Each structure stands twice: as structure tokens, then as C-alpha cells.
Amino acid sequence: MGPPGGGKGTQAEILSEKLSIPHISTGAIIRNAIREKTQLGIVAEGYIEKGQLVPDDLVIDMVSHRLSQKDCENGYILDGFPRTLPQASAMDKIGIKLDAALNLVVADEVIVKRLAGRRECKRCAAPYHIDFNPPKVDGVCDKCGGELITREDDVPETIRQRLDVYHQQTEPLIGFYKEKELLVNVQGRDTIEETTMAVLDALGVKC
């Protein structure tokens, strides 16, 4: 968990590689649906353009389907789900059990500055940043050679709207998982490497 642009996707990819389990990003699933112009993608696009969250029932259906696939049998890392208390409750009801709820703590003013430099692969959705995680070749994805783009929801006005939504709808999850004794707080550091070290230490992962 954590605010938009807090480093969830980047840290999830690193953990996925170190633990050899899939990184399940609801954001990537939704954006792929938008690119493919599926029915869900068309509906979701309207919410995202306004800086709003995609409705819970649509997200829950997508995540349930994804976690039923064979590559999730030995575990997975959820990125961007759950985002709301209803999603968390629904997750419990369908039997999705967590080992930990990692919360990346980053101040709003840092988020606004950070997102201005964020880039994403148009083809595979791999995350980059022009300062903190640049590609080897400017504008080109290291993984698949796809074009790197600025996401439509990374403009300043939309960023602040997304932060407002996060504080109202997602922050309550901190208390929810604290009560379940699953919450692990990690303060975001100045570099990806420093944050990764803090995450691994907090989760007790030895690599």
C-alpha cells in the first residue's frame, strides 16, 4: 500500500524477482484493458481520467480471475489491491489471505514532484523514472523495447485529485491491517535501492 507514485510498483517488481512469484498490478490490468478497448477498459477509462478509483466490484472480479491462474499457486504480490475497505473485506470473503500488508510512507509534496518524472512502457507497463530509475536507452523499455510514455493520470491536477482520493478511501486500510497485525510500515527513502533495503529488512526477506 501507499500513495500513488509512492514506489509500490517498483518495489513489487523487485520483490517479485527476488522471491520468484508474480507481481499482480491492478493498475496494469486496468490500463491494458483500456489499451485493448475492452468493455471494462472503456468504463474504467472514464473514472481514471477524473482521478477516481475504478468501482470495487469490477476490480475484485479482475483480481479473483488473475489469482486463479497457475503462476499464482506458490504466492504473489498484490500491487494496488485492495485500495478500499470494501475491497479488503471482499478479499477476506473470497479467501485471499495475506502474509503482510506493506505500507510505503511518502509525503504528498514528494509524490507530486516524483510523479512528474515517472514513465511507463506502452507495451508491457514496466515502470521507470527519469531521475530515480531511468532506462538504459532514453525512451525505450529495457525489458521489451517498447516506447516509454507519461501516463495521462500523472499531470499535476490529476495527481492532487488522486492524492485526495487516496487519503479518503485508501488510508483507512492502514488501521484495518494494523488491527489484523499484518501492517508493515516502511518510510520511502531517497533512492530505490535504499527503499528496497528497508523493505527487505522490514519483511524479513533474506536475499
Side-chain angles (χ1 to χ4, degrees):
M1 302 187 299
K8 297 185 298 294
T10 298
Q11 294 303 321
E13 283 214 342
I14 293 170
L15 283 172
S16 172
E17 182 177 343
K18 289 183 178 295
L19 299 175
S20 299
I21 56 177
H23 165 203
I24 310 299
S25 168
T26 53
I29 293 172
I30 292 169
R31 288 190 293 275
N32 185 61
I34 291 173
R35 284 194 292 269
E36 294 181 354
K37 301 296 183 182
T38 66
Q39 184 176 358
L40 170 62
I42 293 170
V43 174
E45 188 171 25
Y47 289 94
I48 291 173
E49 285 179 347
K50 297 175 184 176
Q52 299 174 352
L53 297 179
V54 177
D56 289 341
D57 56 343
L58 298 180
V59 177
I60 291 164
D61 286 345
M62 286 192 301
V63 172
S64 298
H65 175 72
R66 178 65 183 90
L67 298 186
S68 69
Q69 297 177 14
K70 188 173 179 61
D71 65 336
C72 293
E73 288 179 351
N74 296 318
Y76 43 81
I77 298 168
L78 292 173
D79 169 15
F81 179 86
R83 285 181 187 253
T84 66
L85 287 174
Q87 287 181 4
S89 298
M91 189 170 70
D92 282 349
K93 290 179 181 178
I94 62 178
I96 300 175
K97 302 299 182 184
L98 300 182
D99 296 302
L102 177 68
N103 180 41
L104 295 174
V105 182
V106 186
D108 284 8
E109 58 267 25
V110 175
I111 292 298
V112 174
K113 181 179 179 180
R114 182 182 292 180
L115 289 186
R118 188 161 71 168
R119 301 293 182 270
E120 179 181 86
C121 177
K122 188 175 182 179
R123 184 184 301 168
C124 74
Y128 294 89
H129 193 281
I130 59 175
D131 295 320
F132 307 122
N133 184 32
K136 295 176 182 177
V137 178
D138 187 35
V140 180
C141 178
D142 296 345
K143 294 185 175 182
C144 72
E147 177 189 1
L148 299 187
I149 60 172
T150 300
R151 283 167 41 176
E152 292 181 3
D153 52 348
D154 280 347
V155 296
E157 283 187 12
T158 305
I159 291 169
R160 295 195 181 279
Q161 290 175 348
R162 292 170 66 201
L163 283 168
D164 288 342
V165 170
Y166 166 75
H167 291 308
Q168 294 169 12
Q169 299 189 29
T170 305
E171 273 191 346
L173 287 173
I174 294 173
F176 179 85
Y177 285 117
K178 183 177 182 180
E179 186 173 320
K180 289 179 173 290
E181 299 184 346
L182 293 173
L183 185 68
V184 178
N185 286 313
V186 172
Q187 186 72 41
R189 306 301 206 271
D190 290 338
T191 68
I192 290 174
E193 293 77 14
E194 289 173 334
T195 302
T196 298
M197 292 300 295
V199 166
L200 295 176
D201 182 61
L203 294 176
V205 175
K206 305 297 182 183
C207 297

